[in-house]
Structures are given as structure tokens and as C-alpha cells.
Amino acid sequence: MTAAGSGLAAPTLTLLDRTQLDATAVYFVSYDGLVNNNSFQKNGLLTYKGHQYAAWYTATRNAVVARRALGATTWSRITLAHTLKSDDSHNVISMGVSRVDGRLHLNMDSHSDGFFYVKSIAGLLDNPASTAWTSAAFGAAQTTLDGVALTTQFTYPQFISTPEGRLQLSYRVGISGNGRNALAEYDGSAWTALGEWTAATGTYTSTHGSSTARNMYLHGIDYDVNGRLHALFTWREQSAAVMCDAGGLTNHDTGYVYSTDRGRSWRNDAGTAVGTTGSSDIVSVTDSGLVVDSLNPDHSLMNQESQTTDSTGLPHAIISYVPGRFGQCTTDYVTDRIAHGRAFHLRKNSAGTWQKTEIPIALASSQRTRLVLDRYDNAYAVLPYGRIAGASKASGHTDWALLYDASDLNAFGEVVVDELRVRADNVLSIMYQEKSSGTTPSPLHVVDFALPA
């Protein structure tokens, strides 16, 4: 199937299979989410060299990592030497691959306190057919990165591989509304703390009031095909004085920065330098040229939604909020987002202009949406409950339509997407957990869809 007159394939989905990771994964709802399926995990599910890897907590609260060959229907599980410490959905497991030495790295169980870190033996991911998949392949859980202590207030681990094959770890220092983003880097032999690159200080003033502390919430952090590092974000203010009503969210604006030197320095959309990692000059709310889509704090804009880059290196993001046609003041962000929330596709076009298109499907949820681009740069929005909408590159990403209603999944809400598998074999893999109640464990699955070849 091709988009009319374009010569490009249109966005399509073909269901391939569904596999069960765990019949009884741990289940509790906190901060409106599940610890095994928070969409800001990078990565809870990933593909590397013909194998797919998944990580989660089972009903016994043990951390588990599993793998399968692509196309296989069974997973081989390893129980790691770590147990989930509290019922906090922020305590996700994130995985990363250091291509320079073929190790799998996992960061677990952190929300504004310490973290737990485990890494595999070298070469485990390079030679999966000949390297034993047993607990002996993983080292002990550490509370540092091989001796490098980062912070006692650590949250939101996201692993990213550099073009050279090094592994970087993005994380927040501090707490919600008063924190800084930072980076560390692994070169195949040792970790180095690169330092903080965003500031919590400065004054932001809305029509309602002012705030003097905040944190930058990343929608993601990704290298493009040209080696540029992109970060789209929203600011969360500490003071509720900036809102029309205390029941909303203090998040405001969508901003954008990029780095051409592996995260050592940062520039705004116009190319102006706005910060140097690990220095006294870091990215601040008072820097000019950061905002690419302005929105005041009265619309329950969600933090940590989703981003990616296309085949030419242009950045794309999903953001979501309550549009103004439903009112200019949200008073209960959960209720209002469920009733009126919408997701929007925000992207930079080849002319250098930022464009935004509403995805015309009610969120019916307070939660987040994930963004995927196929090899033709068609866009797919994986909405709460596993629903999938698509828009074609040929239309300028304006023809959004529902492709899959997910009525057969019984998914709780947010889902985890395997970003790397889309590039590996044109398959969209989604990890989701079935709805349950209280703390009754429920099945955890992976469902696979073929994208246009």
C-alpha cells in the first residue's frame, strides 16, 4: 500500500504475534502508573544483534531480565540479585547496550534516592548463541557505577548509545520541581560523571504568579543518524503560584536543545550556545530561544512524553495537554486529561519550521503516548491502552487515523516500546501489562506488529 502520488508506503500495521513474559508480574498503581510499564523507561524492551531483551519485576518483586531470538515465541528468564524496595512506579528498570564491549547494563529502583546498577559480562550481547544466558553472566547489584557515585537523589535513568559505541546515562539530580539533568558516560572500561547540564534556578513568571525553582523534564534524549544529540522537554515549576488552580500541573512550554559534541555543550534551536555540561553555565529557564511550542501552566501539559528523530536527523515529539477549546484552566489534571486530553505531534520540518498537529483521538487517560517512525518516516503514536494511530510522511504527517484499537489487549495504560527493533527489522514491539486491581499480579506481554517493508 502506498500513499497516493507519493511513491512511499503508507503507515500500516500487521499483527505478528503476542508472547507472555510473565503470568504474574508485580502490580500496583502509583503516580497513575505501573512500575513495569512507565513509558519513560529507556529501555524496558530493546533489540540488539538479532535478540530482544526485556526487564521487569515479577510477583515476588525480583528483578528479571529475559531474552529471545527475534521471531521466537518463548523467552529465557534470569532472576537478578535485586528485589524491588517499594511500591513506587518510578522505580523502573532501564536497560542499555555498550556496543564497544557488548555488555547489557541495567539501572533499577530509583526515585529521588539511590539506584541499583547491574552489568553483564563483556560480549554477552555480541555472541548470544555461544554465551550462556545464566545469572552468572551478570555481576552483583551495585549502588554506584563501578565505583562512581552520582547523587543521593537519582531519578529517571535513560541509557543512550553514542555513535562510537560508548554508553551514556541520562538522569535527574534532585526532586520534582527542583532538579537538574546530568550525564555519565561508559567507554568500555570505566564510567565518568560528565556533570549536570540544566539548572533549577531562575525566575519564571506566568499571568498568575512566579516560581524560582523547577526541573527540566525530558521527552527523551536521542542521537540522530548524523550524530547530533537531541532533547525536547517541558519545564515543571516548583511553585503552584504559576497556575490558575492548584489541581493542575505546573508544566509549561515545549523546549528544545541539541548537542554536537556528545552532550558536552548545548545549543538552542537557532544554534546559539546555551550551556556547557559540568560548568557554571548550564541550560536555564531564563535562556532565550529554548521554547519551540509555547503553552502556559493551565492546560495540564504532560512531562516525559516521547521523542525520536527521522531518517534525515530532524526531531519529532509527542506532547499532550487539554486544548483551550475545553477551557483555559484545568482544575484536576487527572480528571481533566481523561475527559479532554489530546496528544499532538510536534516536529521540525526540512525548512526549519516547527509544526504541530493534533491527533484526533481522545486520550481517555491521564497517561503518556509513545512515538515511533518507520523506515519511510511515517509516524505512529502508541496511545494509552496500546491503541495505535498513524500518519503518513507523504501528507506532512497530517492524516492521523486510528490503526489499531487494542480492545483485545486489556492493557492498563502506558506501554513500553522497543525503539531499536523498529530499526532492526521493521517490527513494532510493545510491552504491556494487563489491568488488575489492588496489588493482584497480572500478566505481562509483548505484542509485535509488522511495519511497511
Side-chain angles (χ1 to χ4, degrees):
M1 180 178 179
T2 59
S6 69
L8 298 176
T12 60
L13 294 171
T14 303
L15 179 64
L16 296 175
D17 61 30
R18 188 181 318 174
T19 61
Q20 182 172 278
L21 290 167
D22 193 336
T24 54
V26 71
Y27 189 97
F28 56 84
V29 179
S30 104
Y31 297 94
D32 305 317
L34 302 181
V35 71
N36 287 329
N37 278 97
N38 259 312
S39 73
F40 54 74
Q41 287 172 262
K42 194 178 178 78
N43 298 280
L45 186 68
L46 65 80
T47 292
Y48 187 70
K49 291 194 172 181
H51 281 70
Q52 190 172 44
Y53 300 82
W56 71 95
Y57 299 102
T58 194
T60 56
R61 306 176 70 85
N62 290 103
V64 172
V65 60
R67 77 172 183 187
R68 65 171 175 173
L70 294 183
T73 57
T74 58
W75 296 77
S76 299
R77 290 171 39 164
I78 293 173
T79 300
L80 300 174
H82 178 71
T83 304
L84 178 66
K85 65 188 180 187
S86 64
D87 286 358
D88 183 335
S89 65
H90 290 76
N91 292 343
V92 299
I93 303 175
S94 293
M95 297 186 292
V97 178
S98 51
R99 298 196 308 272
V100 67
D101 62 357
R103 294 184 194 265
L104 182 66
H105 302 250
L106 300 96
N107 193 294
M108 305 174 281
D109 214 348
S110 59
H111 186 196
S112 301
D113 52 13
F115 61 84
F116 296 87
Y117 167 66
V118 170
K119 70 177 182 182
S120 77
I121 59 173
L124 178 66
L125 274 62
D126 290 331
N127 303 290
S130 59
T131 307
W133 182 250
T134 67
S135 57
F138 291 87
Q142 309 175 48
T143 55
T144 65
L145 296 178
D146 293 337
V148 177
L150 298 179
T151 173
T152 58
Q153 292 184 314
F154 179 103
T155 317
Y156 301 125
Q158 296 191 75
F159 287 110
I160 42 175
S161 295
T162 72
E164 301 81 20
R166 297 185 177 193
L167 184 66
Q168 294 180 323
L169 177 62
S170 167
Y171 59 98
R172 186 186 72 192
V173 178
I175 62 173
S176 176
N178 191 9
R180 292 91 63 202
N181 290 329
L183 288 170
E185 185 174 88
Y186 175 75
D187 64 3
S189 60
W191 282 95
T192 302
L194 301 182
E196 298 171 9
W197 63 275
T198 71
T201 54
T203 299
Y204 167 79
T205 302
S206 73
T207 58
H208 309 292
S210 296
S211 175
T212 57
R214 71 204 45 81
N215 67 272
M216 177 196 285
Y217 271 121
L218 298 176
H219 291 309
I221 185 165
D222 297 277
Y223 283 99
D224 68 19
V225 293
N226 305 309
R228 177 175 288 192
L229 184 61
H230 302 259
L232 284 125
F233 61 87
T234 183
W235 294 107
R236 170 170 291 180
E237 298 300 323
Q238 185 180 59
S239 175
V242 301
M243 294 188 293
C244 59
D245 188 278
L249 287 172
T250 59
N251 299 337
H252 62 91
D253 298 319
T254 300
Y256 170 74
V257 289
Y258 69 89
S259 173
T260 57
D261 56 6
R262 309 299 186 256
R264 271 66 174 179
S265 65
W266 299 89
R267 297 181 178 274
N268 66 16
D269 188 41
T272 303
V274 289
T276 301
T277 301
S279 76
S280 59
D281 178 20
I282 51 182
V283 182
S284 167
V285 73
T286 57
D287 286 325
S288 62
L290 299 183
V291 175
V292 295
D293 187 69
S294 60
L295 188 71
N296 67 36
D298 296 336
H299 294 275
S300 294
L301 174 67
M302 183 48 64
N303 48 284
Q304 295 162 290
E305 198 102 32
S306 185
Q307 72 165 49
T308 190
T309 60
D310 67 22
S311 63
T312 66
L314 291 172
H316 295 239
I318 294 288
I319 61 174
S320 67
Y321 56 88
V322 176
R325 66 179 181 274
F326 298 110
Q328 298 297 329
C329 179
T330 56
T331 58
D332 183 312
Y333 82 88
V334 172
T335 299
D336 291 340
R337 284 178 57 85
I338 291 172
H340 301 302
R342 297 292 188 274
F344 296 80
H345 178 209
L346 178 67
R347 72 278 186 198
K348 190 174 184 178
N349 65 26
S350 57
T353 302
W354 289 87
Q355 295 179 275
K356 184 172 66 172
T357 302
E358 181 176 334
I359 299 172
I361 300 165
L363 288 181
S365 169
S366 64
Q367 297 181 288
R368 299 173 179 89
T369 295
R370 291 302 308 269
L371 176 64
V372 170
L373 300 180
D374 67 19
R375 61 168 52 185
Y376 301 101
D377 289 334
N378 298 313
Y380 302 79
V382 188
L383 296 149
Y385 315 115
R387 297 165 296 164
I388 305 173
S392 69
K393 164 73 171 178
S395 73
H397 299 108
T398 60
D399 57 352
W400 283 98
L402 188 67
L403 303 178
Y404 174 65
D405 70 8
S407 57
D408 56 331
L409 296 187
N410 191 36
F412 167 79
E414 289 184 4
V415 299
V416 171
V417 169
D418 186 338
E419 300 173 3
L420 300 178
R421 188 166 184 191
V422 175
R423 302 169 194 167
D425 65 355
N426 300 312
V427 171
L428 174 59
S429 267
I430 298 169
M431 183 167 72
Y432 70 94
Q433 190 161 351
E434 292 187 29
K435 295 175 187 174
S436 187
S437 60
T439 58
T440 302
S442 69
L444 184 70
H445 305 275
V446 173
V447 60
D448 300 326
F449 299 90
L451 300 177

